[in-house]
Amino acid sequence: MKFKEHWVAYLFLSPWVLFFLVFLMYPFFLSFQNSFLDINVLNPENTRFVGLGNWITVVSDGKFWLSLFNVLFNQIIFITLSFVVALLAALMLNEIEFMASLFRTILFVPVITSITVAMIIFDFLVSPVGPIQENLQSIGMLAAPVFWKFEQWLPMPMIALFSAWKWFGVQMIIFLGGIASINKSLYEAADLDGASWWRKVTKITLPMIKPQIIFVLTINIINGLQMFVEVFMNFDLQGGPYNSALTPVLHLYQTGFEQMKMGEASTIGLLLAVIIFVLTTLQMKITAKGD
Amino acid sequence: MIKNRKQQWLIYGGLIAASVMVLYPFFFMIMNSFKTGSEIMHAPNAMPQEWSFRGYIEVFKAIDLFRIFGNTIFVASAITFLNCLLSSMVAFAIVKTNMPGREFWLKMILSSMMIPGILFTIPVYMMMYDWGWINTFRALIIPGSISAYNIFLLVQFMKQIDNAYLEAARIDGAGEFRIFFKIVLPMLRPALATVGILTFMNAWNDFMGPLLYIRDDSMLTLQLALFKFQTNVPGGNLEQLWAMTTMIAVPVVFVFFFMQKNFIKAFTGVGVK
């Protein structure tokens, strides 16, 4: 391939270079710089250098750690639930041919629905006067309506339940892709040995789709730590009862846009980015070792 | 493959049960949109007693829904168009030219995907504030006009295009622009459909962007408008709320059923080796 002049190539690359400089590099340095400053957007002339002040405030403020605890609590429930459902759905879809694509499409519908729409529906379904609680009461499984938004330990599990309904489809599709690429002769050999379905799943399918499983876990953690709309829709900026629905991003939003402390908010963002980055790198290291 | 008849029935039973659980909330949404406000409150389980279209009529009176739909279509289309064009230009430069440092640029693009978006919320907001971009559509469109993930997907697709086509065109004296627009872009059409659908859906469903940058009611996009409508008068505008929710959700689901192959391709782009 001969291509005498590179200028066209550079021209074609330039959108990325511009984007990188303006929307990745510059804000990165800005947020680094901000984390040492005390800034109020409304009166920027009062900006002053506070050194590690913001970092000390954020780290010593229990709210940051509480918000991390909340998302991790949420993610443990969400990941377990959605993983099991997605894997089961993928295994079932893999066994059938007739109408497989229809079922796959239906199970994927929540993924394409916006969080706003899905949350309004979910909110109605599980509300104290909603259909689910009414049914549970009429068959005697629930004594009194549960006001989950006012209980300290319910918001995160409820949101995890919602997220599992909304997102299991993505994981299911990724698992299906993994299962499809497994060499069929492995199963034939297992069949000759008279292996049971369960044994084939645990000894062949699961080990073979390990890359997909690790990918899904990584994506979940990255997204989970950045949860915002779900809690904002339900609790506005309040963070739920006893701050039990406060997520790091909500904490950042409160600090930056309610209290107008942009420096401190930048620090929260930077700290969270570092945590996510470390977790992702760790995940990748583990995957690389396995291969 | 399970050959046993009984087990097949069990699997279909499981899948039907799962489908019902997935679709049940949408069924409620549509039912509620045809109920009157008091029925939604007091008979959450029942079907509509009398089919009421009041919610649909009232919501158009309460807010400028045409405008909000128009805003969202405009913003999402602009983002999608720019992404398809700019991301495929970058992918072309990386895959189909002999520009020096192509490996380096690709590595850089891929590693930029590892930076969590949360880091940019505050600094980009401050940049927009300084530039006077708050309350403009520019603030939504420009930062979303190109994405590392889309470049990555298009690089994968572009590798499959045979270089012989490009060689032949070059021998015929076609310039790189001509080659890109007349040969590569048309051949990328299926890939662009996949990238475009994913981008459009993300822009259509975006909540955080409008929440940060849009102030005027006349510039609201669907997701933020729905949120504001929900918090406006809690319980006071139930019929309208459900009519609006249905009108926002149903078109997306409808489009999805027709183009599900592209959606699913877009989601399997990464993670599967």
Side-chain angles (χ1 to χ4, degrees):
Chain A
M1 190 168 38
K2 273 276 167 293
F3 187 29
K4 280 172 216 143
E5 289 170 286
H6 296 309
W7 71 269
V8 185
Y10 287 127
L11 186 74
F12 276 31
L13 187 74
S14 64
W16 167 258
V17 178
L18 268 176
F19 177 80
F20 177 78
L21 293 176
V22 179
F23 289 109
L24 293 177
M25 223 45 222
Y26 180 60
F28 181 77
F29 280 114
L30 209 57
S31 101
F32 197 68
Q33 187 194 40
N34 287 345
S35 74
F36 300 109
L37 300 174
D38 180 17
I39 320 165
N40 184 328
V41 184
L42 299 180
N43 37 329
E45 61 278 358
N46 288 346
T47 300
R48 54 197 186 90
F49 180 77
V50 290
L52 288 175
N54 286 327
W55 290 87
I56 293 164
T57 315
V58 171
V59 173
S60 59
D61 181 9
K63 270 182 135 184
F64 179 77
W65 303 109
L66 179 62
S67 69
L68 267 187
F69 167 79
N70 286 338
V71 281
L72 292 178
F73 175 42
N74 173 281
Q75 285 301 293
I76 289 170
I77 302 170
F78 163 69
I79 289 176
T80 321
L81 212 60
S82 62
F83 180 82
V84 171
V85 176
L87 191 66
L88 272 178
L91 288 173
M92 286 197 292
L93 283 176
N94 190 48
E95 298 289 352
I96 61 166
E97 264 163 38
F98 177 62
M99 296 211 299
S101 124
L102 177 71
F103 280 121
R104 195 187 59 187
T105 309
I106 289 176
L107 295 182
F108 201 72
V109 166
V111 177
I112 53 121
T113 313
S114 71
I115 297 183
T116 349
V117 165
M119 203 75 216
I120 287 174
I121 305 174
F122 182 77
D123 202 27
F124 170 75
L125 287 176
V126 299
S127 87
V129 292
I132 292 180
Q133 293 213 26
E134 204 189 76
N135 283 338
L136 287 178
Q137 283 178 66
S138 69
I139 58 167
M141 277 180 69
L142 202 66
V146 178
F147 291 82
W148 65 274
K149 284 190 189 178
F150 302 120
E151 301 275 344
Q152 183 176 3
W153 294 105
L154 280 178
M156 279 299 149
M158 290 304 269
I159 290 171
L161 189 71
F162 163 81
S163 305
W165 176 82
K166 172 117 179 53
W167 294 116
F168 85 92
V170 177
Q171 306 176 31
M172 175 190 81
I173 293 294
I174 293 171
F175 290 152
L176 265 179
I179 294 172
S181 64
I182 299 174
N183 193 338
K184 294 282 171 293
S185 58
L186 285 174
Y187 291 104
E188 281 157 19
D191 279 334
L192 286 180
D193 292 343
S196 69
W197 177 81
W198 180 244
R199 214 180 144 72
K200 278 186 282 183
V201 168
T202 51
K203 296 287 170 200
I204 302 173
T205 313
L206 284 180
M208 291 303 280
I209 61 168
K210 200 177 140 213
Q212 281 80 14
I213 292 176
I214 289 179
F215 172 75
V216 159
L217 289 180
T218 315
I219 289 291
N220 279 342
I221 286 176
I222 294 173
N223 290 336
L225 283 169
Q226 302 188 60
M227 183 165 77
F228 175 77
V229 186
E230 293 88 339
V231 284
F232 185 70
M233 287 282 297
N234 283 306
F235 304 102
D236 212 310
L237 282 178
Q238 306 311 315
Y242 309 100
N243 278 326
S244 61
L246 185 79
T247 67
V249 182
L250 192 73
H251 182 35
L252 176 144
Y253 195 95
Q254 279 181 349
T255 313
F257 298 105
E258 202 182 29
Q259 304 166 13
M260 292 289 170
K261 294 180 193 160
M262 289 291 178
E264 206 183 307
S266 291
T267 315
I268 297 172
L270 210 53
L271 194 58
L272 190 63
V274 171
I275 292 173
I276 293 174
F277 188 80
V278 169
L279 284 178
T280 325
T281 323
L282 224 85
Q283 285 271 18
M284 286 184 167
K285 278 249 167 71
I286 296 168
T287 333
K289 235 184 220 165
D291 279 348
Chain B
M1 191 64 64
I2 292 176
K3 298 270 156 56
N4 188 324
R5 199 70 180 267
K6 215 169 172 184
Q7 283 167 332
Q8 282 274 332
W9 279 114
L10 206 69
I11 287 169
Y12 277 100
L15 285 170
I16 289 168
S19 305
V20 169
M21 289 233 289
V22 160
L23 293 181
Y24 166 85
F26 291 98
F27 172 73
F28 260 99
M29 175 186 76
I30 295 168
M31 284 302 119
N32 274 350
S33 75
F34 292 113
K35 281 178 168 183
T36 59
S38 66
E39 270 184 68
I40 300 172
M41 283 282 275
H42 301 299
N45 271 305
M47 295 283 282
Q49 288 296 309
E50 44 169 331
W51 290 72
S52 155
F53 292 90
R54 218 172 68 210
Y56 287 92
I57 298 162
E58 293 294 321
V59 75
F60 277 97
K61 285 185 195 158
I63 48 172
D64 197 348
L65 208 53
F66 283 114
R67 179 158 196 146
I68 292 165
F69 261 98
N71 288 342
T72 317
I73 290 170
F74 171 72
V75 171
S77 310
I79 291 176
T80 307
F81 172 77
L82 286 171
N83 259 289
C84 285
L85 181 71
L86 300 180
S87 301
S88 46
M89 278 166 69
V90 176
F92 180 80
I94 288 172
V95 181
K96 294 297 179 197
T97 69
N98 59 356
M99 168 185 75
R102 295 181 307 164
E103 283 298 311
F104 164 78
W105 290 111
L106 184 61
K107 267 204 189 116
M108 198 171 128
I109 291 165
L110 291 182
S111 41
S112 81
M113 285 202 280
M114 290 199 28
I115 312 170
I118 169 74
L119 180 60
F120 302 109
T121 322
I122 298 289
V124 171
Y125 179 85
M126 290 173 73
M127 285 155 61
M128 301 282 178
Y129 190 86
D130 285 343
W131 299 345
W133 282 21
I134 303 291
N135 210 16
T136 65
F137 288 144
R138 259 173 302 175
L140 301 177
I141 296 170
I142 306 292
S145 62
I146 188 167
S147 100
Y149 177 68
N150 285 346
I151 297 174
F152 168 66
L153 280 183
L154 288 166
V155 162
Q156 301 295 92
F157 282 113
M158 208 164 304
K159 278 181 182 161
Q160 292 163 13
I161 294 181
D162 194 344
N163 282 329
Y165 293 105
L166 281 72
E167 281 309 314
R170 284 194 182 114
I171 288 164
D172 287 348
E176 293 303 312
F177 278 99
R178 249 185 98 85
I179 291 173
F180 177 71
F181 285 105
K182 295 280 175 195
I183 300 172
V184 175
L185 272 192
M187 289 175 91
L188 269 185
R189 204 176 292 158
L192 287 175
T194 299
V195 167
I197 280 172
L198 191 68
T199 311
F200 193 88
M201 187 194 83
N202 283 337
W204 184 270
N205 288 345
D206 184 26
F207 182 82
M208 194 78 172
L211 177 71
L212 286 173
Y213 302 124
I214 301 301
R215 298 287 142 81
D216 286 1
D217 277 356
S218 66
M219 291 178 68
L220 286 183
T221 59
L222 282 173
Q223 308 305 332
L224 191 62
L226 183 62
F227 170 73
K228 288 201 163 175
F229 201 65
Q230 183 218 15
T231 46
N232 221 355
V233 205
N237 51 2
L238 274 181
E239 304 157 27
Q240 288 120 299
L241 179 70
W242 286 102
M244 188 173 171
T245 311
T246 308
M247 278 189 280
I248 292 176
V250 167
V252 184
V253 175
F254 202 67
V255 171
F256 169 67
F257 266 90
F258 280 102
M259 312 196 79
Q260 49 98 5
K261 273 206 179 108
N262 295 85
F263 270 97
I264 283 166
K265 243 191 257 160
F267 275 94
T268 36
V270 288
V272 183
K273 290 203 272 193

